[in-house]
Amino acid sequence: RWEDCLSPGVHGPFFPRILRRRKGKREFGKTITHIVAKVMTTEMIKDLSSDTLLQQHDDLDLALDNCYSGDTVIIFPGEYQAANLALLTDDIIIKGVGKREEIMITSEPSRDSFVVSKAHNVKLTHLSLIQQGTVDGIVVVESGHMTLENCILKCEGTGVCVLTGAALTITDSEITGAQGAGVELYPGSIAILERNEIHHCNNLRTSDSSKSTLGGVNMKVLPAPKLKMTNNHIYSNKGYGVSILQPTEQFFIVAEEALNKRAASGDKKDDKMLFKVMQNLNLEMNNNKIEANVKGDIRIVTS
């Protein structure tokens, strides 16, 4: 069944996670840069322009709670938790300063969700997301567009989920440890993946063959999502590097040529089938390295 191929999660793909309303911009139109630190020093703000409006907060949750669209949150090395990351509705930038490995945001095990957005345009950059106990995706884009840039995503449950009608851009990031696929695209979603490493995903202990195929990137194709992948390294996943889920073999789901030099494992019939599907799917892949995935590199999976 189609629903049997969904990654594990407490919510279905159409269950609204965020009920909070969007605040929009402040009345006086100004934007604020929020500094998350116990004590703010001049060193922390030396690279900011002199007319920057600043607000200092003891913790990340307070900073997010005070954000309006257009604001920036700056986080310095340390370990943080923030329930408000699961309630992103305004267009903000959350930016780490320092080594991304040292800016650690961990989920709260008692909560279902970690990072969830329905903002028109939200960006997370230069930080690490560490999933602990939450069963929903480490990042869920419910609607709007999210950008993840130069981030580390250490999954414990489901990986990144892009729901129907939502869009995601991931660049220069690393995704590892997901129980299902590292990136899961629901029908009608859009994703651009560039220069990422997606590895050691599909750590599910299951005999269900529909779930065992999931690995690096999984696409559900009715209607077809749009995916552009460039210069990514997808490796050592227990399923396939890229799996394309379609409801029947007769439904052919756009790549401009072969996905890479070792596009698909299997016989010539499988290769021909894959090429036909690729011609009709809004999928563009260039210069990706897909290797050492247990099931194979790229595969069409029928439900």
Side-chain angles (χ1 to χ4, degrees):
R1 294 183 306 164
W2 184 265
E3 59 267 29
D4 289 338
C5 295
L6 298 179
S7 290
V10 70
H11 304 311
F14 307 111
F15 188 96
R17 293 156 174 79
I18 300 179
L19 301 177
R20 173 187 286 182
R21 287 187 176 183
R22 176 181 169 88
K23 289 194 287 188
K25 291 187 176 293
R26 285 182 182 78
E27 288 184 11
F28 59 91
K30 297 289 186 180
T31 60
I32 289 178
T33 296
H34 303 267
I35 306 293
V36 181
K38 296 295 183 185
V39 178
M40 186 168 65
T41 67
T42 54
E43 181 70 18
M44 290 178 175
I45 59 174
K46 64 180 176 134
D47 295 327
L48 300 176
S49 63
S50 58
D51 61 348
T52 302
L53 296 178
L54 298 173
Q55 195 170 356
Q56 181 260 327
H57 305 273
D58 289 343
D59 65 61
L60 179 57
D61 235 2
L62 278 172
L64 293 172
D65 206 35
N66 282 274
C67 277
Y68 286 77
S69 284
D71 285 2
T72 297
V73 178
I74 296 180
I75 310 173
F76 290 86
E79 187 170 332
Y80 305 88
Q81 285 188 329
N84 280 318
L85 282 171
L87 299 166
L88 298 175
T89 56
D90 285 283
D91 301 346
I92 63 173
I93 296 172
I94 303 172
K95 178 170 67 173
V97 175
K99 294 182 179 179
R100 65 179 186 174
E101 294 85 358
E102 296 176 0
I103 303 157
M104 299 175 289
I105 303 176
T106 61
S107 62
E108 298 182 31
S110 61
R111 296 184 176 274
D112 293 333
S113 302
F114 186 8
V115 178
V116 186
S117 175
K118 67 173 186 179
H120 295 320
N121 203 354
V122 68
K123 182 177 182 179
L124 278 67
T125 179
H126 208 74
L127 47 79
S128 296
L129 298 175
I130 303 169
Q131 188 179 29
Q132 298 175 342
T134 54
V135 293
D136 208 1
I138 187 170
V139 171
V140 177
V141 191
E142 191 169 292
S143 63
H145 177 236
M146 173 179 278
T147 299
L148 295 172
E149 180 182 279
N150 194 25
C151 291
I152 297 173
L153 278 66
K154 294 185 177 180
C155 310
E156 189 178 83
T158 310
V160 179
C161 298
V162 191
L163 303 190
T164 299
L168 171 71
T169 301
I170 310 179
T171 59
D172 302 303
S173 296
E174 180 180 1
I175 302 172
T176 185
Q179 287 188 23
V183 178
E184 186 132 14
L185 305 181
Y186 282 83
S189 62
I190 299 171
I192 297 174
L193 311 180
E194 295 184 351
R195 302 181 303 277
N196 302 293
E197 291 192 15
I198 304 171
H199 60 97
H200 294 93
C201 292
N202 191 19
N203 293 313
L204 274 171
R205 295 177 180 176
T206 178
S207 58
D208 188 335
S209 61
S210 67
K211 292 186 176 67
S212 68
T213 59
L214 305 179
V217 178
N218 183 49
M219 306 173 65
K220 300 178 176 68
V221 297
L222 189 60
K226 298 177 182 179
L227 172 63
K228 179 180 179 181
M229 295 178 59
T230 306
N231 295 321
N232 298 284
H233 190 189
I234 302 173
Y235 62 98
S236 301
N237 297 291
K238 288 189 177 178
Y240 292 98
V242 176
S243 55
I244 302 168
L245 177 64
Q246 60 178 21
T248 68
E249 290 189 8
Q250 285 71 40
F251 179 78
F252 291 111
I253 44 164
V254 159
E256 296 175 356
E257 295 185 3
L259 301 188
N260 60 36
K261 292 181 181 178
R262 299 172 59 230
S265 57
D267 56 23
K268 291 182 179 179
K269 181 180 178 182
D270 287 337
D271 289 345
K272 185 177 179 181
M273 171 76 167
L274 179 67
F275 183 72
K276 276 184 142 182
V277 169
M278 297 291 299
Q279 281 184 314
N280 293 283
L281 172 65
N282 200 335
L283 173 58
E284 178 184 337
M285 302 182 74
N286 299 295
N287 301 319
N288 297 286
K289 189 174 183 180
I290 305 176
E291 62 180 357
N293 298 290
V294 171
K295 292 278 187 176
D297 293 338
I298 302 170
R299 186 72 174 182
I300 305 157
V301 182
T302 56
S303 58

